[in-house]
Amino acid sequence: MQFCGFNVGLNRPFFLIAGPCVIESEAMCVDIAGAMKEITGELGIPYVFKASFDKANRTSDRSFRGLGMEEGLRILERVRALVGVPVLTDVHTEAEVPVVARSVDALQTPAFLCRQTDFIRACAQSGLPVNIKKGQFLAPGDMKNVVEKARHAAVEAGLSPDRFCVCERGASFGYGNLVSDMRGLAIMRETQAPVVFDATHSVQLPGGNGASSGGQRQFVPVLARAAAAAGVAGFFMETHPNPACAKSDGPNLVPLRHMRELLETLLEIDRVVKARPFLEDTINS
């Protein structure tokens, strides 16, 4: 399928969605997008910049949520104009969708909202590609129903039904912990939608710091390598120049200075894995 102007799928090298968790300032977003454009350009990785104008599901109401929709969308438009990269952001309500869709190149749905039918339908009818995150509470096979909702809504609006990615970000395991089952990446291929692995939220510890979420960024490379070995169409990662000072999700953000090294490793694995047919598709035949 087409995603922000490039083809994505298991027959191609992975694409990358990356940026800070939340928009903190125009200058920071432009700097991160510029750095990532340079890295991905040299490595030949299709790239989409991501940042949120509002974090609607923070652990505490005292946490920084963002700069708001109006200012956030202005900054995303500036990033696209100044850096020359497509931009993606989260939406949280049906009412936000048409407004946000005028300013960005792709939408992303929060994991907690994957079962909200009217919300998924609104995103599907926006005319933009959508990265649909699997809920922490959902079995990977259940994403077939989510994608089916989106495709039906797109067809009703006279739009292509092939504009949706499905994204794994871990499943709740007890309290304050997430686990990524790599079988889920293969299971979600049954949606016939490109599968994206969210390497940074998968190491999040929800509510782990009391009034904010914790995280274990040292395991981002571990899970990302495993996902590349399983075979994915794309990666989602959040990055920041100084995660210790980030205003959201700092404990699981990848330091910007380490992104090139991580992506180089993932590219090596990706090339090997995609050079042969996936045996899991035929092993039971």
Side-chain angles (χ1 to χ4, degrees):
M1 61 168 267
Q2 283 270 321
F3 194 90
C4 296
F6 47 83
N7 291 319
V8 301
L10 285 179
N11 61 336
R12 297 177 179 276
F14 67 80
F15 74 100
L16 177 68
I17 301 169
C21 179
V22 66
I23 297 171
E24 297 180 18
S25 70
E26 178 179 325
M28 188 190 76
C29 286
V30 169
D31 288 347
I32 293 174
M36 288 305 307
K37 180 184 180 181
E38 180 178 353
I39 293 169
T40 55
E42 292 174 357
L43 296 178
I45 300 172
Y47 171 60
V48 179
F49 175 80
K50 177 269 171 187
S52 300
F53 59 81
D54 177 29
K55 301 301 293 184
N57 60 346
R58 297 307 306 271
T59 302
S60 168
D61 63 1
R62 300 187 299 275
S63 299
F64 179 74
R65 287 186 54 165
L67 301 180
M69 186 163 66
E70 182 176 353
E71 177 64 3
L73 293 180
R74 183 194 70 79
I75 289 173
L76 289 170
E77 290 175 351
R78 288 286 289 169
V79 169
R80 181 169 56 189
L82 292 175
V83 184
V85 294
V87 296
L88 170 151
T89 196
D90 310 274
V91 283
H92 312 91
T93 67
E94 296 166 54
E96 286 181 353
V97 171
V99 179
V100 175
R102 292 195 290 269
S103 295
V104 300
D105 301 286
L107 301 177
Q108 183 167 274
T109 64
F112 286 124
L113 299 182
C114 68
R115 288 285 298 270
Q116 296 299 107
T117 299
D118 289 341
F119 174 70
I120 292 296
R121 285 177 54 84
C123 292
Q125 294 180 344
S126 68
L128 297 182
V130 185
N131 187 35
I132 304 176
K133 285 197 166 187
K134 178 181 77 65
Q136 301 92 320
F137 49 85
L138 207 66
D142 291 337
M143 285 300 287
K144 287 191 288 187
N145 293 322
V146 178
V147 172
E148 188 175 86
K149 289 179 185 179
R151 286 177 173 151
H152 287 168
V155 170
E156 286 178 18
L159 300 168
S160 168
D162 297 320
R163 294 181 298 106
F164 309 108
C165 294
V166 290
C167 184
E168 172 65 272
R169 53 87 28 94
S172 296
F173 186 76
Y175 297 118
N177 193 24
L178 297 170
V179 170
S180 291
D181 180 355
M182 294 301 157
R183 295 174 300 178
L185 299 173
I187 293 169
M188 287 201 295
R189 292 181 205 148
E190 296 172 7
T191 63
Q192 301 300 310
V195 178
V196 176
F197 182 66
D198 182 343
T200 47
H201 286 103
S202 290
V203 302
Q204 189 182 67
L205 301 175
N209 290 337
S212 64
S213 291
Q216 298 173 309
R217 79 168 60 89
Q218 70 270 28
F219 295 127
V220 170
V222 177
L223 294 183
R225 292 196 303 265
V232 292
F235 282 95
F236 175 101
M237 298 185 206
E238 292 181 335
T239 183
H240 193 280
N242 185 2
C245 296
K247 295 184 178 181
S248 178
D249 277 5
N252 51 262
L253 301 180
V254 177
L256 186 59
R257 65 185 180 277
H258 290 302
M259 284 295 291
R260 179 187 293 271
E261 181 181 7
L262 176 55
L263 291 172
E264 288 174 342
T265 299
L266 298 181
L267 277 176
E268 292 176 4
I269 299 171
D270 187 70
R271 292 189 190 103
V272 172
V273 170
K274 292 177 179 175
R276 293 177 178 271
F278 287 93
L279 183 59
E280 57 266 32
D281 294 337
T282 57
I283 199 168
N284 285 330
S285 61

